[in-house]
Amino acid sequence: GNSVTQMEGPVTLSEEAFLTINCTYTATGYPSLFWYVQYPGEGLQLLLKATKADDKGSNKGFEATYRKETTSFHLEKGSVQVSDSAVYFCALSGGSNYKLTFGKGTLLTVNP
Amino acid sequence: GAVVSQHPSWVICKSGTSVKIECRSLDFQATTMFWYRQFPKQSLMLMATSNEGSKATYEQGVEKDKFLINHASLTLSTLTVTSAHPEDSSFYICSAAIGTTYEQYFGPGTRLTVT
């Protein structure tokens, strides 16, 4: 079955530091890949997505590239801000049923 | 746009009682709604998928008689935890999808505590 493995947190960075959160997946066929963000007290929000190999999703300074050869979708941001503090979930959707399979989530804390 | 609400945001109930959680799509019609359960420091686990006007499809290992899902309209789905026990205490999250799209819009979640 489908599975998503993402690096365990928590991750603590200083403002303006570089961020990488690793995500690898196992799936049959050609899944779509997502990063969701959950700010404190709020629901999950779609941060970015990629639907085919070599696609790069980007939003709010975050980027992730769909790497089929390494089955990875690592999240990066060049300069994090305090407001980026949240839990980040990597997820995939495979097949026609649109079900999402999530990683365990990575808590990011950015200190001023 | 694409806002999903849940009510209540938190609830405490006694063991053996039932509790209903509502999920509403506020500004769109949701063809499909999903219910997830999230344990502390764990991922979201899909419990069931529901389509308006039809029976929900439950994931393996989820007791359909315990977790009753009703999707009565294109903007409302409900999850009823029947005869709740302390092990049912968890964070329950719903999401809604529009038409034939893979993008899901998530509610803020409901914290259930069973005493």
Side-chain angles (χ1 to χ4, degrees), chain B residues 21-52:
Chain B
I21 301 169
E22 292 185 350
C23 175
R24 293 182 184 273
S25 56
L26 298 184
D27 52 2
F28 66 98
Q29 293 186 326
T31 310
T32 306
M33 287 187 169
F34 304 83
W35 286 95
Y36 296 85
R37 185 172 178 177
Q38 184 180 25
F39 293 99
K41 298 184 180 181
Q42 295 290 320
S43 182
L44 281 74
M45 181 193 77
L46 179 64
M47 300 175 65
T49 304
S50 73
N51 294 292
E52 185 263 339

Side-chain angles (χ1 to χ4, degrees), chain B residues 39-101:
Chain B
F39 293 99
K41 298 184 180 181
Q42 295 290 320
S43 182
L44 281 74
M45 181 193 77
L46 179 64
M47 300 175 65
T49 304
S50 73
N51 294 292
E52 185 263 339
S54 61
K55 289 184 178 180
T57 301
Y58 290 81
E59 295 299 300
Q60 191 172 7
V62 177
E63 300 176 59
K64 61 179 68 176
D65 294 330
K66 181 167 188 60
F67 298 99
L68 300 179
I69 291 172
N70 183 277
H71 194 160
S73 75
L74 286 171
T75 60
L76 173 64
S77 176
T78 60
L79 168 68
T80 302
V81 183
T82 62
S83 187
H85 291 284
E87 57 265 31
D88 298 325
S89 298
S90 191
F91 196 56
Y92 293 88
I93 302 172
C94 74
S95 70
I98 302 172
T100 56
T101 175

